[in-house]
Amino acid sequence: RKEVEQDPGPFNVPEGATVAFNCTYSNSASQSFFWYRQDCRKEPKLLMSVYSSGNEDGRFTAQLNRASQYISLLIRDSKLSDSATYLCVVNRRGSTLGRLYFGRGTQLTVWP
Amino acid sequence: NAGVTQTPKFRVLKTGQSMTLLCAQDMNHEYMYWYRQDPGMGLRLIHYSVGEGTTAKGEVPDGYNVSRLKKQNFLLGLESAAPSQTSVYFCASSYPKGLAGGPRGNEQFFGPGTRLTVL
């Protein structure tokens, strides 16, 4: 079983829509959680960390459910510039500090 | 600061040829990583380093070697390239030891990638 599983999509939504991505992780020892964003033919960049209590950064909201080993990302009022692939990422407790496990990514296209 | 840089950006090799990919970072990061990214496979860790002079195998190390002679540089070598090594290669680095637990702890900064084709 893969460390991190994501629905690859694609998700195609109109501008202004709300869209949610989900991700599950297999190792209960996972400790830190992140969403990265990757634009086409570019490198991944950190979008936001995911905290146990949930956290928000502008139009983006991340949630963590440790009991279900489930992470989500909600994007409100989608913009054309949100079109990208969103990578779910976890760090396992006890692993080499800094080592991250990446999901395959969920592709989002926002259309006018 | 340039962040993380990679050279070359593109390369085409013939089967059996060798090459070295160079990664450099100017953020004084302790940790550095080499990944490959293939369609439908996501990012897979090849090798990583937790400090100058140390390296370790990741998820898919076969066919690759690495060296970290200087803290700021991490080299990835292909001794005898194979078509299966056609991929996009990303280098990354992360925070100095001791700071990784902060709010953005474990954030990895990526280079722009190297697109390698092996014919």
Side-chain angles (χ1 to χ4, degrees), chain A residues 2 31-32 34 36 38 40-49 51 87 91 96-105, chain B residues 10 31 33 35 37 40-43 45 48 50 57-59 90 94 97 100 103-108 110-112 115:
Chain A
K2 290 195 72 65
Q31 183 178 27
S32 304
F34 312 89
Y36 275 67
Q38 186 173 22
C40 187
R41 302 180 71 80
K42 298 285 189 180
E43 72 272 23
K45 293 183 179 178
L46 179 66
L47 176 66
M48 60 194 300
S49 300
Y51 302 125
L87 308 175
N91 167 249
T96 300
L97 191 64
R99 180 168 176 178
L100 300 178
Y101 296 84
F102 289 79
R104 297 180 185 184
Chain B
F10 304 92
Y31 306 125
Y33 314 83
Y35 294 91
Q37 188 174 37
M41 297 296 292
L43 281 160
L45 183 65
Y48 62 98
V50 298
K57 294 180 180 180
E59 183 184 354
F90 287 104
S94 62
K97 198 177 295 184
R104 291 175 76 89
N106 294 326
E107 176 181 3
Q108 291 186 10
F110 284 80
R115 282 169 173 74

Side-chain angles (χ1 to χ4, degrees), chain B residues 8-110:
Chain B
K9 288 186 169 50
F10 304 92
R11 187 72 186 268
V12 178
L13 288 179
K14 294 181 179 178
T15 297
Q17 286 185 317
S18 63
M19 76 164 295
T20 300
L21 282 66
L22 171 63
C23 176
Q25 53 94 4
D26 60 2
M27 296 175 282
N28 199 35
H29 286 172
E30 288 287 342
Y31 306 125
M32 296 187 75
Y33 314 83
W34 275 108
Y35 294 91
R36 61 177 289 173
Q37 188 174 37
D38 303 292
M41 297 296 292
L43 281 160
R44 292 184 292 170
L45 183 65
I46 304 171
H47 286 280
Y48 62 98
S49 168
V50 298
E52 183 178 316
T54 70
T55 63
K57 294 180 180 180
E59 183 184 354
V60 287
D62 294 343
Y64 306 95
N65 57 75
V66 289
S67 64
R68 183 102 181 266
L69 298 179
K70 294 183 178 180
K71 185 177 183 179
Q72 64 268 34
N73 295 337
F74 195 28
L75 278 62
L76 178 71
L78 285 73
E79 290 183 348
S80 179
S84 61
Q85 293 178 304
T86 293
S87 187
V88 180
Y89 291 86
F90 287 104
C91 175
S93 68
S94 62
Y95 280 116
K97 198 177 295 184
L99 295 181
R104 291 175 76 89
N106 294 326
E107 176 181 3
Q108 291 186 10
F109 296 82
F110 284 80

Side-chain angles (χ1 to χ4, degrees), chain A residues 16-96:
Chain A
T18 295
V19 61
F21 306 137
N22 303 319
C23 162
T24 57
Y25 59 95
S26 61
N27 195 311
S28 60
S30 296
Q31 183 178 27
S32 304
F33 309 89
F34 312 89
W35 284 100
Y36 275 67
R37 170 193 168 126
Q38 186 173 22
D39 294 310
C40 187
R41 302 180 71 80
K42 298 285 189 180
E43 72 272 23
K45 293 183 179 178
L46 179 66
L47 176 66
M48 60 194 300
S49 300
V50 184
Y51 302 125
S52 296
S53 55
N55 49 298
E56 193 173 297
D57 183 0
R59 298 181 293 107
F60 298 83
T61 300
Q63 297 280 352
L64 169 65
N65 184 321
R66 286 188 184 271
S68 302
Q69 295 181 202
Y70 172 95
I71 306 162
S72 66
L73 177 68
L74 182 77
I75 305 175
R76 292 182 300 278
D77 188 23
S78 298
K79 311 291 184 190
L80 296 176
S81 57
D82 293 334
S83 296
T85 296
Y86 292 83
L87 308 175
C88 178
V89 185
V90 306
N91 167 249
R92 191 193 305 164
R93 181 182 298 125
S95 72
T96 300

